[in-house]
Amino acid sequence: MGAVTVRVPAKVNLHLSVGARREDGYHDLVNVFHAVSLFDDVTVREAEGFSVARDGDEAAAMPADEDNLAVHAARALAREAGVESGVELHIRKAIPVAGGMAGGSADAAAALVACNELWNTGLGREELVEVAGGLGSDVPFALLGGTAVGLGRGERLSPALVRGSFHWVLAFAREQLSTAAVYAECDRLRKERGEEAPRLRVPRRLMAALAAGDAEALGAALANDLQPAALTLCARLRRTLTAGRENGALGAVVSGSGPTCAFLAGSERHALDLAVALSGAGVCRSVVRAYGPVPGAQVVPNPED
Ligand code: C5P
């Protein structure tokens, strides 16, 4: 087989409750993931060693070779499946790097699916999910896609019931945020304010809004415990969120550890108006529209064939 291309979506977090820090340094979560139509394409070809090349709008900031999570993923799968050869990865990047949209995790999930196909390993979906969980908390969701509740550190997933689709406007920031730094800031702020970690519960109102396809109720139910920490580390996101709310967003939230902000619109038309208003307000680096939910990592025809 010559080359395999896999298309993989970004995620936004519709709800993120962060529990107390565990002994292993992670936090238990209730994390409602939602895959949106902003995609990276990962192409793999048989090669001697492991390497990664990149292009696309968001490629410049992407880590090279050994620091790239997609390379770790390919190596992990080779070990698991007893494959001796390497791969050359090519990533067409549209998901912002260190943006709170799980772009690195998405590329890792895509690399797993693509290499699994290229090497014809015979490993099934469940075995891939197992390898994915070892690579990062958000990698299993990038395999699954759709909308799902993640427990544990986010890797124990169950699909959510969703009616129809939702329209989003995403504001990319000029800054990047390290996930670990945002969790650490969340712990620090709680300590400083004498706050306890919340009891972790699946958000009923939000799940009902998803099942009913009710964008207004969903907008009102968006929540993210990491948002105060992201706003402390990146103060200008306040202006971005305010600009979205002032222009009629049904909901405005920092996605995951940020700094990307996600705005829920009531219709495609509303999303277009909101995107134009946010671009004009000069409160972010760039603005894209997307819809969700969309499926997880999938093999697609190679664009060069
Ligand atoms: O799992 P992943 O490598 O994506 O996590 C990056 C960092 O985010 C972890 O090293 C940890 O500091 C933090 N994290 C956490 N609790 C989680 C997920 C991530 O503290 N549930």
Side-chain angles (χ1 to χ4, degrees):
M1 193 179 291
V4 177
T5 298
V6 169
R7 175 159 291 183
V8 66
K11 59 83 180 162
V12 295
N13 302 81
L14 306 178
H15 174 99
L16 186 52
S17 299
V18 178
R21 189 173 181 278
R22 311 189 309 204
E23 296 230 319
D24 64 3
Y26 283 92
H27 297 73
D28 277 322
L29 308 175
V30 175
N31 191 350
V32 183
F33 293 102
H34 181 68
V36 295
S37 62
L38 170 69
F39 302 101
D40 282 356
D41 284 342
V42 177
T43 301
V44 297
R45 287 186 180 78
E46 203 87 47
E48 294 259 307
F50 291 84
S51 63
V52 61
R54 60 201 169 179
D55 67 8
D57 292 349
E58 299 292 324
M62 205 184 82
D65 296 355
E66 289 312 311
D67 293 332
N68 197 293
L69 198 56
V71 173
H72 286 281
R75 284 188 186 276
L77 186 70
R79 269 197 308 276
E80 182 73 20
V83 171
E84 303 270 313
S85 60
V87 280
E88 183 188 298
L89 294 122
H90 183 270
I91 303 182
R92 176 153 295 171
K93 197 124 195 71
I95 308 173
V97 173
M101 300 198 76
S105 301
D107 298 344
L112 288 180
V113 174
C115 291
N116 199 42
E117 186 84 5
L118 183 78
W119 293 329
N120 206 1
T121 66
L123 295 185
R125 200 86 190 163
E126 280 189 13
E127 286 150 310
L128 284 192
V129 170
E130 192 67 35
V131 179
L135 290 163
S137 311
D138 293 347
V139 185
F141 175 72
L143 287 178
L144 180 71
T147 306
V149 180
L151 303 179
R153 58 188 172 92
E155 85 288 10
R156 283 185 2 235
L157 295 168
S158 19
L161 202 60
V162 180
R163 179 177 211 152
S165 59
F166 297 96
H167 299 279
W168 296 92
V169 177
L170 307 167
F172 298 167
R174 290 184 185 87
E175 298 82 357
Q176 298 186 339
L177 284 174
S178 134
T179 306
V182 176
Y183 275 98
E185 181 64 11
C186 175
D187 291 339
R188 195 194 66 77
L189 282 176
R190 280 179 177 167
K191 200 165 166 205
E192 187 181 275
R193 296 171 182 174
E195 287 171 10
E196 295 283 320
R199 263 188 58 205
L200 295 178
R201 275 189 285 217
V202 175
R204 276 168 199 261
R205 268 193 318 140
L206 183 126
M207 303 315 286
L210 286 168
D214 184 340
E216 210 153 309
L218 178 61
L222 297 174
N224 180 3
D225 280 356
L226 290 180
Q227 186 160 305
L231 293 180
T232 312
L233 296 175
C234 196
R236 67 168 119 189
L237 296 180
R238 285 178 203 281
R239 281 185 54 215
T240 316
L241 291 171
T242 303
R245 289 193 194 103
E246 284 176 357
N247 284 285
L250 301 179
V253 74
V254 170
S255 178
S257 55
T260 303
C261 293
F263 302 94
L264 184 60
S267 65
E268 204 170 343
R269 175 74 227 185
H270 181 204
L272 184 59
D273 291 344
L274 188 55
V276 169
L278 280 167
S279 298
V283 290
C284 53
R285 172 168 63 85
S286 60
V287 176
V288 302
R289 286 178 296 137
Y291 59 87
V294 296
Q298 276 182 332
V299 176
V300 292
N302 189 328
E304 289 161 30
D305 283 350

